[in-house]
Amino acid sequence: MTYRILDASALQNWLVERPDLSGRLGSPAAEWTIREVSDGNLNTVFLISGPAGALCCKQALPHVRVAPDWPMPLERALYESRYMRAVAPAVTGLMPELFAYDADLFLLVMECLTEHEVLRSALIADRARPGFSTVIGSYVARTVQATGWVSQPFETGAHLLEQFSGNTALTRITVDLILTDPYRVCDRNPEPETGLRDDVKALQNDQVLHRAVGRLQDRFLTARQALLHGDLHTGSIMLDDGDVRVIDGEFATMGPIGFDCGLYLGNLALHLCAAPHKAAALRAEMLAFWQSFSTEMRSSLRNGTGDQWTLSGSDMRQELIEVFLSEVLHDTAGFCGLEMIRRTVGFAQVADYGLCHTEEARLLARQKALQIGRTLIVEGASLRSFNALLSLMGL
Ligand code: SR1
Ligand code: MG
């Protein structure tokens, strides 16, 4: 079958022809309910429930869903399916199960997380059960363990480089939206609110900042440390009480480990700027993330049997691990800052700012995010501890 955009009834007809999938829903098909829940910027998503169970179907559109005149290759669905397959054995229970990928329709069929809520919405509504960041820290460490050079033979990395190097359309989005646009005049950037205009101009003229962004561009484009999720913000995480799942791996690419860490922490920090009264809880989440991430990383780096660090005895390995983690910390700080700035002035902003009740409060929150973001980018590479990173956020 050739590609076409599926609506609810076309999807139902397609599923009826796939007994391996429709069997999970149960019969008769007339009793299925199909609900479109598309929420992200790029794709359509349908939830289908039947007498026996439920499925989630996600289809790539030939354009950005929220900007139909922005064409976008369909292959992102292929990379998402590859990402899920590449990391699934390492993160069982932490992402939805992928049941099928249809290469003609660019359609993923996966486990339906009916009871789960997107973390960003749960945070905004104050419904997120504390401790979710421990799971995310563990998730990132496990994906690194499954795909990084210290843990795996170099052939694994070579295969991953080959499998994901074609994901250029989505990497282009990252390069433009995160690493470039906020620091230049660009049509994609929305018109800033009046009070923020001078701050936006300052971002475009700040040579010290541009030099530091250049270092992070270099890291993102050249440090192929592990397979990244590539878009690990609070909208890419769902939770139902203590059950935490990572979704939406379509931006997957080999890159610096601190990129996933930084995007995640950056979104918590944005929430902090919008809701400063939650500082204690957000500090605890950030610490929990780094604690679980660095603990699992130390253990996997200590026991790694890949082709990196084969000549080091345990003392030398210990030293190498600490240097390695300190570099990840520096990258984390920088990418965290980039995420805070781009979500404040760039194309894809965040709903968290809706928590500010007045225009003045929202302006102050945005200015705070820009100030913290800049500090993290400029000073991140000299941090000596995670606590120092928290201090730069005023925590
Ligand atoms: C055009 S896509 C804009 C943003 O949405 C995705 O979730 C990524 O964060 C991307 O940067
Ligand atoms: Mg997404």
Side-chain angles (χ1 to χ4, degrees):
M1 186 183 291
T2 52
Y3 177 80
R4 64 211 159 88
I5 296 173
L6 298 175
D7 60 14
S9 100
L11 178 59
Q12 170 158 359
N13 294 337
W14 182 80
L15 283 166
V16 167
E17 301 295 321
R18 289 285 306 254
D20 56 322
L21 299 172
S22 53
R24 293 179 180 272
L25 297 168
S27 49
E31 280 182 25
W32 297 353
T33 57
I34 306 191
R35 193 159 53 99
E36 183 173 353
V37 294
S38 312
D39 180 39
N41 290 322
L42 294 172
N43 312 290
T44 54
V45 179
F46 291 91
L47 304 184
I48 306 100
S49 300
L55 292 172
C56 171
C57 294
K58 174 174 178 181
Q59 187 181 35
L61 299 173
H63 53 79
V64 173
R65 189 181 69 83
V66 297
D69 50 355
W70 184 348
M72 194 53 57
L74 298 163
E75 283 72 20
R76 59 189 186 270
L78 167 68
Y79 292 108
E80 181 165 352
S81 73
R82 285 186 181 170
Y83 175 77
M84 292 180 84
R85 288 179 176 140
V87 302
V91 294
T92 311
L94 303 185
M95 67 190 307
E97 189 181 343
L98 179 65
F99 297 135
Y101 171 64
D102 189 278
D104 297 322
L105 292 171
F106 296 91
L107 176 73
L108 298 130
V109 184
M110 54 196 145
E111 182 183 356
C112 188
L113 304 176
T114 322
E115 302 300 320
H116 292 64
E117 182 179 23
V118 171
L119 175 57
R120 190 184 305 283
S121 316
L123 281 171
I124 290 171
D126 248 335
R127 277 194 293 261
R129 181 163 123 184
F132 49 87
S133 300
T134 302
V135 181
I136 302 304
S138 171
Y139 176 93
V140 176
R142 287 185 204 186
T143 59
V144 172
Q145 206 270 337
T147 65
W149 308 90
V150 177
S151 307
Q152 304 297 329
F154 85 88
E155 289 85 352
T156 300
H159 177 66
L160 290 168
L161 284 169
E162 185 269 315
Q163 286 265 300
F164 290 91
S165 64
N167 197 9
T168 50
L170 293 208
T171 304
R172 166 55 63 195
I173 291 180
T174 298
V175 168
D176 287 344
L177 267 53
I178 301 184
L179 291 151
T180 315
D181 288 356
Y183 310 96
R184 66 175 172 185
V185 177
C186 169
D187 286 347
R188 269 188 300 259
N189 296 335
E191 188 60 34
E193 58 197 275
T194 317
L196 210 60
R197 281 193 196 142
D198 287 347
D199 305 84
V200 168
K201 276 216 182 77
L203 289 174
Q204 293 164 359
N205 294 316
D206 186 336
Q207 297 297 303
V208 174
L209 180 60
H210 291 188
R211 182 165 296 119
V213 172
R215 189 193 82 82
L216 293 161
Q217 291 170 337
D218 173 45
R219 295 293 296 159
F220 180 74
L221 294 169
T222 67
R224 305 290 185 200
Q225 291 182 312
L227 182 62
L228 306 182
H229 175 282
D231 195 27
L232 192 56
H233 58 89
T234 48
S236 298
I237 295 164
M238 299 188 75
L239 71 179
D240 172 26
D241 286 333
D243 189 59
V244 182
R245 311 286 189 104
V246 173
I247 60 169
D248 273 6
E250 63 201 322
F251 282 79
T253 183
M254 291 291 277
I257 297 160
F259 187 82
D260 275 353
C261 302
L263 259 56
Y264 178 65
L265 294 171
N267 280 269
L268 294 187
L270 284 160
H271 193 75
L272 168 72
C273 294
H277 60 285
K278 295 194 198 173
L282 289 162
R283 181 179 195 279
E285 289 299 331
M286 292 190 203
L287 264 176
F289 169 83
W290 192 257
Q291 181 66 29
S292 79
F293 167 74
S294 56
T295 304
E296 288 200 31
M297 283 293 294
R298 280 196 177 86
S299 153
S300 73
L301 293 171
R302 206 176 300 125
N303 301 315
T305 54
D307 291 296
Q308 186 175 328
W309 301 352
T310 46
L311 305 178
S312 53
S314 73
D315 285 354
M316 189 192 292
R317 188 169 276 239
Q318 199 50 46
E319 265 174 49
L320 290 169
I321 289 172
E322 294 313 316
V323 172
F324 187 85
L325 286 179
S326 125
E327 183 182 57
V328 174
L329 176 70
H330 298 162
D331 289 344
T332 296
F335 291 119
C336 177
L338 288 174
E339 177 71 353
M340 293 182 74
I341 290 181
R342 75 98 169 205
R343 294 287 189 189
T344 300
V345 300
F347 174 83
Q349 303 196 3
V350 289
D352 306 54
Y353 286 119
L355 283 172
C356 304
H357 294 306
T358 62
E359 262 181 46
E360 194 194 356
R362 197 174 60 235
L363 177 62
L364 286 175
R366 287 185 189 274
Q367 286 174 328
K368 183 85 189 155
L370 296 183
Q371 176 260 310
I372 295 175
R374 182 189 186 280
T375 307
L376 289 168
I377 294 169
V378 172
E379 296 179 27
S382 48
L383 289 178
R384 301 180 76 92
S385 69
F386 189 70
N387 274 322
L389 185 155
L390 293 177
S391 296
L392 293 187
M393 292 180 182
L395 292 174

